[in-house]
Amino acid sequence: MAAEPGQPGAAGEGILVVGAGLAGLRTAEALRSNGYSGPLEIVGAEPHLPYNRPPLSKQALATGPSLDTLVYPRRPTVADVTWTLGRAALAADLDRRTVTLDDGTSRAFTGLVIATGVRSRRLGLGRDGAEPMLLRTLDDAIELRAELGPGVRLVIVGAGFIGCEVAATAAGLGAEVLVVDPLPAPLAGVLGRRLGDAVRARLEALGVYVRTDTAVRAVTVGTDLAEPARYAVHLAPADGSAAEPDPVPADVVLEAVGSVPNVDWLAGTGLELSAGVRCDEAHRVLRDGIPLPYAVAVGDVARLPHPLLGELRIEHWTWPGDTAARSARSLLAGLGRGEPPQDPLTALPSFWSDLPGGRIQSFGLPQRGHADVRLLEGDWDGECAVGYHVDGRLVGVALIGLARRMMHYREALLHDLTV
Ligand SMILES: Cc1cc2nc3c(=O)[nH]c(=O)nc-3n(C[C@H](O)[C@H](O)[C@H](O)COP(=O)(O)OP(=O)(O)OC[C@H]3O[C@@H](n4cnc5c(N)ncnc54)[C@H](O)[C@@H]3O)c2cc1C
């Protein structure tokens, strides 16, 4: 599949997967299980084979992250795949069907799988080299773990899922943890205020300090503080009023403020790249509103219309597993090998998060139903099921604990979405 850089080209002989994460791996496996036996190359920016990310903020961060325990088992059908790791795609030409890598080489392809996921968002808080850490990759997690321990002062910018999970894990390692978020409660952006308050109580019970309605304005070097530290974290009320006079000393600062889809390498291809790679329901990427038969996007990076939930881009671990087979079948059909998926997309977004006091699981899109949040079962501060509604119908459900009720509420959600 190698091609000289800049050579005009007949398409290569194989399928190129860009992104060696869960979505890239699952789509490669699905291509094989749907009968594709031709050349298959997977290019990944990280130096590692695909590995499991969720433990990076949970058990693996507690015990010490290692590739050996996190790497996914790979099906024998992908044993002959060419892995090009530690190489990022820099550019693509979808008419000539080539992708250029950061070593200057290029790859020609007949079919392309776009599976480049997301990266951590940065708010540009660091000054004079005082840059907060991030947590997206195994290498990030190894670096963060090396900094944590008893008495370490950790400030986490952002009380989303990753921020809250790291706060709980770090507190378990003996760190003094402060989490700061401009919203009124942890996880309020996804689960709403009331459940967010319950999460706050759980974090506080672990000794985590939670500052809500508060923004981090900057992170500077902390050597001049009354209580000298590696970093000084400058806080201000989220309403934009004057910054607090005394910055918070910190040994470690983690920025956990969401993500940005990795689409830069597709600039200039004519694809619609705002908020992820826009696709049709069959995962075929759209150019000028028209699906390209020979390119699909899958996983965190893909934005697509869901027949029950409208347009969405999902950053959940289960999503690549739920959608890789559709993507593979669409691509193979576009290449003249087999039928495209006939069935509508029915997979529901579904997420879990492990926080002390019970696993949080959610289905559908709770964030769309914050105006009408109802306790369906249990009690707010213990095990519970919470429903998020639009026009009186469920659009999302969150469970704290109550794993045995998962199927019941999943069906209730499906019912409300389909009536
Ligand atoms: C710390 C953490 C905890 C999480 N916890 C949960 C959880 O509890 N529950 C849950 O449902 N989900 C969780 N997630 C989300 C879940 O891990 C993702 O939804 C899943 O990994 C998505 O897989 P993906 O293959 O689409 O993207 P990724 O796993 O991000 O893989 C994309 C790969 O593409 C590579 N890449 C990017 N750009 C290029 C390029 N230009 N060229 C080549 N390669 C490139 C990236 O380096 C990356 O390796 C968590 C994520 C993180 C980071």
Side-chain angles (χ1 to χ4, degrees), residues 19-31:
L22 179 61
L25 174 62
R26 290 287 175 260
T27 310
E29 290 173 342
L31 286 164

Side-chain angles (χ1 to χ4, degrees), residues 18-24 43-46 53-54 56-58 87-89 115-118 135-136 162 165 262 265 298-301 315-318 320 350-353:
V18 182
L22 179 61
V43 175
E46 292 179 69
R53 282 182 211 282
L56 298 180
S57 47
K58 312 175 184 73
R87 289 267 80 95
T116 40
V118 298
L135 180 55
R136 177 74 203 170
I162 290 178
E165 288 179 349
N262 288 318
W265 64 283
V298 60
D300 283 8
V301 79
E315 293 183 29
H316 297 171
W317 186 89
T318 51
S350 123
F351 184 94
W352 84 94
S353 175

Side-chain angles (χ1 to χ4, degrees), residues 86 93 284 299:
D93 183 328
R284 295 174 301 183

Side-chain angles (χ1 to χ4, degrees), residues 14-163:
I15 294 180
L16 181 66
V17 179
V18 182
L22 179 61
L25 174 62
R26 290 287 175 260
T27 310
E29 290 173 342
L31 286 164
R32 287 286 190 247
S33 61
N34 280 277
Y36 176 71
S37 56
L40 194 49
E41 178 172 357
I42 304 184
V43 175
E46 292 179 69
H48 312 298
L49 284 163
Y51 59 86
N52 200 10
R53 282 182 211 282
L56 298 180
S57 47
K58 312 175 184 73
Q59 315 88 291
L61 187 62
T63 54
S66 96
L67 185 64
D68 291 348
T69 51
L70 295 172
V71 72
Y72 290 117
R74 295 174 303 284
R75 296 210 177 125
T77 50
V78 292
D80 61 348
V81 159
T82 303
W83 294 93
T84 302
L85 299 175
R87 289 267 80 95
L90 283 189
D93 183 328
L94 296 182
D95 294 316
R96 298 189 331 174
R97 298 201 208 179
T98 58
V99 168
T100 305
L101 306 188
D102 60 3
D103 61 356
T105 62
S106 69
R107 301 289 187 274
F109 60 82
T110 42
L112 177 67
V113 177
I114 297 168
T116 40
V118 298
R119 61 180 176 276
S120 304
R121 184 188 301 281
R122 274 223 184 262
L123 297 177
L125 300 170
R127 307 276 184 279
D128 303 323
E131 205 57 71
M133 301 181 90
L134 299 171
L135 180 55
R136 177 74 203 170
T137 65
L138 172 64
D139 295 354
D140 293 339
I142 291 171
E143 241 180 89
L144 177 61
R145 180 63 182 84
E147 299 283 345
L148 298 178
V152 168
R153 292 164 296 180
L154 167 66
V155 174
I156 301 176
V157 187
F161 282 107
I162 290 178

Side-chain angles (χ1 to χ4, degrees), residues 336-347:
R337 298 160 180 256
E339 290 299 310
Q342 304 295 338
D343 46 324
L345 173 62
T346 51

